[in-house]
Amino acid sequence: MIIAPSLLAANHAHFGKDAVRADRAGAEWLHLDIMDGHFVPNLSFGPQAVKAIRPLTKMFFDVHLMCSKPEILLEPFARAGADEMIIHVELGDQVEPLIWQIRKLEKKVGLAVNPPTPIALVQPFLEKIDLLLVMTVNPGFGGQSFIHECLPKIQQAEAWRRERKLQYRIEVDGGINNQTAAECARAGADTFVAGTSLFGQRSLKGAVAKMRKIVNANDPALADLKV
Ligand code: DX5
Ligand code: ZN
């Protein structure tokens, strides 16, 4: 179970300080939301910000590209210190070449699926990815409410992983708090992106520890062991 605080919810006047706080809070991953004002109706930050944060922490950098033309950004983000780059399945014909481009850069490959997009669209790529991101809000903004209709997609992703003996992680992103993280864990998620619910707390360390405890307690694999 991995907790990935989303820097989008940090104070944009001091990303570095908040990234270090996330590290000291015990989070293994840092989720970096890249928005282009086209694929989503918002802008966030670019490779220069990621490059500036990179020397401050050893956390795994999970770069979520909500962008219409990720092909022009993959190399800059790879050079800036991304460990993984997530592209969206909604890009259609571009998905396959983008996956190869990320592999060529020797980075982990993530594939994201938006709430209105059928989960079946990710099926042809499951053998080629390290992580499947099931979006649980429509991307573009932090602080939105979790969309419960996305839970069956997590169950489907978990069923495919089990049936095909694959290893990809199942990540959830959007409206994740202690309650919805527990629901996602029970459905099969193992990687939890959370912005508002973590950075909004006075003690980030306490918030990460609590979320970790809750998702571990709801891990179906551990429940099997208890039986
Ligand atoms: C949404 C982004 C998320 C966002 C989540 O477009 O992909 O990563 O930071 O924020 P919260 O946890 O506040 O919903
Ligand atoms: Zn994200």
Side-chain angles (χ1 to χ4, degrees), residues 6 8 31 33 35 64 66 135 139-143 173-175 193-196:
S6 169
L8 191 69
H31 186 79
D33 285 304
M35 304 180 182
H64 178 192
M66 287 161 274
M135 287 304 299
F141 300 91
D173 181 11
V193 176
T196 311

Side-chain angles (χ1 to χ4, degrees), residues 32 45-56 61 76-77 79-82:
L32 299 147
F45 49 87
Q48 209 176 338
V50 175
K51 190 179 172 195
I53 305 162
R54 185 66 281 184
L56 306 176
F61 277 11
F77 277 108
R79 252 190 276 122

Side-chain angles (χ1 to χ4, degrees), residues 119-120 123 126 132 151-161 163 168 170 187:
I119 188 74
Q123 242 192 320
L126 296 178
L132 180 66
L151 282 169
K153 286 175 155 181
I154 303 167
Q155 287 166 336
Q156 180 63 76
E158 210 283 315
W160 282 333
R161 183 171 64 181
E163 287 158 14
Y168 56 83
I170 300 175

